[in-house]
Amino acid sequence: AYKLFQVLPEAHRLREHLTYYTSGVHLAGVNRTQAVWTQEQMRDFGLTDVNIVEYFPYLNYPREQRVAIVEPEPLLFDADLREPIVDEDSTSHLQRDIPPAFHGFSASGNVTGRLVYANYGRPQDFARLRALGVNMTDTIVLVRYGQVFRGLKVREAQEHGAVGVLIYSDPADDGAARGAVYPDGPWRPPGSVQRGSVQFLSDYPGDPLTPGVPAHRDAERLAREDVTNLPKIPSIPLSYTNALPLLRALSGHGPSALQAGSDWEGAGAHSDAGADPGVTYSVGPSEARVNLVNRMEGRITPIWNVVARIEGWAEPDRAVIVGNHRDAWVFGAADPGSGSAVLLETARSLGILLRAGWRPRRTIYLCSWDAEEYGLIGSTEWVEDHLAWLQREAVAYINVDNVVMGHHFVAFASPSLNPLIYQVTKDVALGGTSGSVYDQWVNDAPKKHQAETESAVGGADPIINADNDPPARHLPPVVHPLGSGSDFTAFLQHAGIAAMDFSFVGYGGTYHSAYDSRHWMEKFVDPHYHYHRAATGVLGGIALQLADASLLPLNLTTYADALKGYLAAVTFHDQVRRFTDKSGANCEKAVAQVAAVSDETDLELSKKKKKDKKKHDAEKKLAQCLRRRHQFNDQLGFFEQQFIAVAGIPSRPWYKHLVFAPGLNTGYASQPLPVLTESVE
C-alpha cells in the first residue's frame, strides 16, 4: 500500500480541490457549506464513516474599524483599511466578501493617544523603550509584524500601559526588500494587510471561555472579563501604505531608531524598495494624536470539524490521526488551502486503496478542523473532548497547514519521528526535479542549521556525499522541535501524543491577506502542483507507515539524543544544574532501557521457527511474540505521555508537556524544557 500510494495523487485533482477551497471567503464559524462539501467529497472517495462534529466556542467579528490621525491639522489622515484590487487576480475583486483589516479576539474600544513605535513589540523592545525613558502610558503603540506571535505584541503593550496597538507589515520583513511584490512577484505589496488572531497563545489555545474542557453548547463558560488569554485593549492590523503617515508623524520625536537598536529601522529608512524620505523610525511619543476605533461583535457560535475514520483490521483500538484546518482569514490558498487540498487528495488516494481491498492495520483518522486561525480551536476542543480516549489509543498525529508556500522543505516533529521523516522523504519524488523531497531538503538545508542538527538529532546516521573525494560526512537536515501555531499543539502539548508538521516554505508575502489566492499560488509557487503532489506523498506515506507497520516506526534513541541536546543548550544556575544533571541522567537511563527492550523485541520477532519444534510450541512462541510486540508498540506509541505533567507547567497549566512548549514570549517558536528554561529566565 505504501508504494502504491505514491503513484495515486494527481495534480489536476489537487488543483480542483484548491479551486473549491479558494473560491470564496471562509472565516471560522461562517461557512458550514464548505464542511458539508468536504464530508461529501470524502464519502464519494469511498470513506464511509465521515461525520461533522460541532462545537460552540466564543468568536468575534469586525463591525467598525477606524485608524486616523486627528491632530494636528497638517497631519490629518484616515486609513482605508482595505486591500486594493489586483486586476489579474479575480478573487481580489470580491470586495464585498473580503473582511476588513481586523484581529481575531481583539478587544473593542475607541481610544485616542499619542503614538509610540516599539519595533517588533518583543519584551526586549519594550525594555529598551523604558531604558530610553519613553513613557508608554495611554499611548497607541505601533509595531511591525515578525519575530514573535502578534498576540504577544499586544500583551506587552497592554502590560506597559498602552491603550491600543497597531501592527503593520514592513517591506523589510516580507515585502519589497525581499523581492518583487505581488502581482509582479510573490512578496507582500504595500497595500496588503496581515490579519490574524491576538489571543495570548502561549497561555492556552482553544476556546477562551472553556479552557481545558470542550466547548459544547451547554458548557460552563468563563465570563469574558475573567479570561486570561485575551487582550483588554483594541488592536488593528495595517498595511505599509496605511502605516506610512503614522511613521512620518513620528519622525523627529523622541529617541531615534539608531539610539534604540541596530534592528529598529525598517525598509522605510534605508531600503530603495521601500524608502520614504519622511520616515526615520523615531520612537516617539509623537506630537500627533491617533484615534483607534475597533468595534467587535462577540458571540457563542458553532464551528464544524469534519472527521473521517478508517477502521484498522488488526489493531482497531490504536489510532493514527492526520489533520489540517479548513478556515481562512480570506481565500487562503497557501494557508490553509494547500493543506486542505493535500488532505483531500490523501483521502481520495486512500479510498482507491480501500476499493482495492486494503485496510490499515491501525485505525486512521482524517480530520478537517475549523477555527484554527482564531486559536487552534477546532482541534483543541476535539482533543479536550476525547482526551482519555486519545491517551489510550492515539499513537501519532500528523499535521499539515500552509503546506505549500514555497520550494524549501522544513519539518517539525517529536524526535521519535525523525528517522521516519527521513525515510519517507527519500521515497517521495519531487516533480520538476530529478530527485526526491529528501534530496531537495539536503541541498537546501542552511549551513547554519548543521550545529542545531547535531544537538537535536544526535545519533542519526550521517549522509555520505559521494561527489567529494575524499568523501565528506554531512549531518542530516534539521527536524525542528515543535512550538505552537497550528493544530498539532493540543495533541502533543496537552495530550502527550507524538506529533509532526511539515511544509514547503519560501514566500510568506501574502500570508493572511486577500492576495493568498489561487492566482498567486499558480503564478509564483506551484503552477504544475508538483509540490502539492509531493506533500501528499509525504503525508500519506508517513500515515501509512505508522498505520501499517507491525512495529511502530518510532525511534526512542533519537528522542534520547535530542533530550541530551536540549539539556546541553540551556545555561543553568548552579543549583538548577545539579538538579538537571540528576534528572537528565535518569531520563537517559530510562530511554536506554526502552531502547534495549526495542532491540530485544525486534530480535525476537525476527526469529524463524525451528524445524524441530512441535506445532503447539511454535504457536505458543508466536503468541508470546505477538504479546511482546503489542507491549513494545504500546511502549513506543505512549512514550510521549511519560513527559506529561497532569498539573501542567506552573506558569501556564494547560500546557502539560515537560519537554516541549511554545516560547512564553514568542508564541510560535519551541521552548524545549519549558519549566527549566523559564526558571532560569
Side-chain angles (χ1 to χ4, degrees), residues 297-335:
E297 178 189 333
R299 60 178 184 264
I300 306 300
T301 189
I303 62 170
W304 307 280
N305 294 336
V306 181
V307 180
R309 181 177 184 271
I310 305 172
E311 184 168 313
W313 65 268
E315 301 177 53
D317 59 348
R318 294 295 178 266
V320 175
I321 303 167
V322 179
N324 153 263
H325 78 91
R326 192 181 61 255
D327 63 298
W329 291 112
V330 194
F331 306 110
D335 184 10

Side-chain angles (χ1 to χ4, degrees), residues 299-434:
R299 60 178 184 264
I300 306 300
T301 189
I303 62 170
W304 307 280
N305 294 336
V306 181
V307 180
R309 181 177 184 271
I310 305 172
E311 184 168 313
W313 65 268
E315 301 177 53
D317 59 348
R318 294 295 178 266
V320 175
I321 303 167
V322 179
N324 153 263
H325 78 91
R326 192 181 61 255
D327 63 298
W329 291 112
V330 194
F331 306 110
D335 184 10
S338 60
S340 296
V342 164
L343 180 71
L344 205 57
E345 187 62 2
T346 299
R348 191 189 70 83
S349 300
L350 292 177
I352 294 172
L353 294 178
L354 287 168
R355 288 193 294 274
W358 164 85
R359 290 291 184 276
R361 180 183 187 87
R362 301 176 185 90
T363 299
I364 295 175
Y365 287 82
L366 301 177
C367 304
S368 173
W369 311 117
D370 198 359
E372 185 269 358
E373 294 291 6
Y374 273 79
L376 323 180
I377 294 176
S379 59
T380 298
E381 300 314 305
W382 195 76
V383 169
E384 291 174 344
D385 199 9
H386 301 286
L387 183 61
W389 166 76
L390 286 166
Q391 291 183 325
R392 285 195 311 270
E393 298 192 6
V395 298
Y397 174 74
I398 314 164
N399 190 67
V400 286
D401 190 337
N402 46 357
V403 71
V404 179
M405 58 186 308
H407 305 146
H408 309 291
F409 186 83
V410 294
F412 300 79
S414 300
S416 57
L417 285 162
N418 291 5
L420 177 60
I421 296 170
Y422 295 139
Q423 174 200 334
V424 173
T425 53
K426 289 176 182 178
D427 293 338
V428 176
L430 180 58
T433 75
S434 59

